Amino acid sequence: MQASEVPRAVAAAMSTASSLGLTVDDALVLHDSNKLTLRLLPCDVLARVAPVAQQVARFEIELAQRLAESGCPVAALEPRVEPRVHERDGFVVTLWTYHEPVTSREVPPADYAHALERLHAGMRELDVPTPHFTDRVEQARQLVADRDRTPALADADRELLGDTLRSLGRVIGERGGAEQLLHGEPHPGNVLTTENGLLFIDLETCCRGPVEFDLAHTPEEVGEHYPDVDQDVLRECRILVPAMVTAWRWDRDDQLPDGRRLGTEWLGRIRAALDRR
């Protein structure tokens, strides 16, 4: 979120929660990306705030409710207020249960894989309209092809990313394996380690595709514990996904701290992976 918008976004979250009868005296910024994530105190509620034009909050709330009802490991909505999207001052605000993170240990890969397997099992039971994973790949490819949006990307790097996104997206999409509803980005940043186990957050990136696409966002050891994985597809996805993420780092409007350095570093990793392939 643009720095100039953060104070207004915080105010929108605090006033929304207060209007719903929650006691709010302070707000702590937990994460700032395309959404602002806040911990509201002393009511201890997690608020997610985004500009109205960029939000898919209604979809995320409905999906979270359905997955939670089926026992999937997802973060729950705040039970003290009505589960809906609130609009205020040009922002949408959603309110969620705050989970105190458990940071004393790393997540065992087997636990990570089991939690993702449970999430996927619940998602297979849902029929909701979502993009195909190749639609997201195409968005990244179009970004790379647009020199106005990625002006700092060198020609050789632009060709590398464009070719990788186009060829691997097509190859994986044409394999004809089983596809289902996916989280879309179940990387460690979207996993909470809580006293109740692992919980997945940020469902706005859901798409359809092979489970290997989701696994490619996780540490490599996780894939070793997930059952019935097509290792060939997973290897391809482990190149495709970094190519997508790297493309976003070269967007002139990218706000990720140190994003350009990461984009350069990941280009080197993609080249090495392609050489091994």
Side-chain angles (χ1 to χ4, degrees), residues 158-233:
R158 190 182 306 277
E159 182 177 2
L160 171 76
L161 285 178
D163 289 348
T164 301
L165 291 165
R166 180 172 50 253
S167 62
L168 287 183
R170 183 182 65 251
V171 167
I172 297 168
E174 291 176 351
R175 280 185 177 269
E179 295 188 347
Q180 66 158 83
L181 183 65
L182 303 174
H183 180 287
E185 291 185 0
H187 54 70
N190 282 335
V191 180
L192 298 180
T193 306
T194 75
E195 292 182 351
N196 297 320
L198 301 184
L199 299 176
F200 290 91
I201 61 172
D202 203 355
L203 299 170
E204 65 177 5
T205 55
C206 282
C207 57
R208 296 197 68 82
V211 295
E212 288 82 6
F213 181 79
D214 262 2
L215 280 168
H217 290 80
T218 70
E220 288 196 15
E221 296 83 358
V222 175
E224 298 171 4
H225 295 274
Y226 194 103
D228 303 322
V229 172
D230 186 323
Q231 294 296 335
D232 289 335
V233 174

Side-chain angles (χ1 to χ4, degrees), residues 19-208:
S19 70
L20 296 170
L22 300 172
T23 303
V24 184
D25 298 326
D26 195 12
L28 305 178
V29 176
L30 302 180
H31 187 65
D32 181 7
S33 58
N34 59 321
K35 281 186 174 68
L36 191 67
T37 303
L38 307 168
R39 182 183 182 183
L40 305 181
L41 297 169
C43 63
D44 221 12
V45 169
L46 187 129
R48 303 186 73 203
V49 193
V52 169
Q54 300 177 11
Q55 62 90 22
V56 289
R58 186 166 290 103
F59 167 80
E60 185 176 23
I61 279 184
E62 293 174 355
L63 184 57
Q65 285 182 284
R66 295 177 66 179
L67 290 171
E69 288 170 359
S70 63
C72 289
V74 294
L77 291 155
E78 170 53 47
R80 288 171 286 179
V81 299
E82 182 184 355
R84 67 180 183 87
V85 178
H86 307 273
E87 291 194 19
R88 189 176 295 260
D89 193 23
F91 296 96
V92 293
V93 180
T94 53
L95 301 176
W96 304 76
T97 298
Y98 175 75
H99 295 276
E100 191 71 38
V102 177
T103 58
S104 59
R105 63 184 179 89
E106 293 185 1
V107 178
D111 292 354
Y112 202 139
H114 179 60
L116 187 58
E117 184 186 2
R118 287 175 55 209
L119 178 64
H120 284 160
M123 285 182 155
R124 279 196 293 274
E125 303 302 315
L126 301 182
D127 182 16
V128 294
T130 56
H132 195 257
F133 84 97
T134 53
D135 296 328
R136 298 188 61 204
V137 175
E138 178 60 17
Q139 289 175 353
R141 192 200 65 77
Q142 290 181 5
L143 174 63
V144 169
D146 190 335
R147 293 179 180 273
D148 290 336
R149 294 178 62 194
T150 53
L153 190 58
D155 287 345
D157 296 333
R158 190 182 306 277
E159 182 177 2
L160 171 76
L161 285 178
D163 289 348
T164 301
L165 291 165
R166 180 172 50 253
S167 62
L168 287 183
R170 183 182 65 251
V171 167
I172 297 168
E174 291 176 351
R175 280 185 177 269
E179 295 188 347
Q180 66 158 83
L181 183 65
L182 303 174
H183 180 287
E185 291 185 0
H187 54 70
N190 282 335
V191 180
L192 298 180
T193 306
T194 75
E195 292 182 351
N196 297 320
L198 301 184
L199 299 176
F200 290 91
I201 61 172
D202 203 355
L203 299 170
E204 65 177 5
T205 55
C206 282
C207 57
R208 296 197 68 82

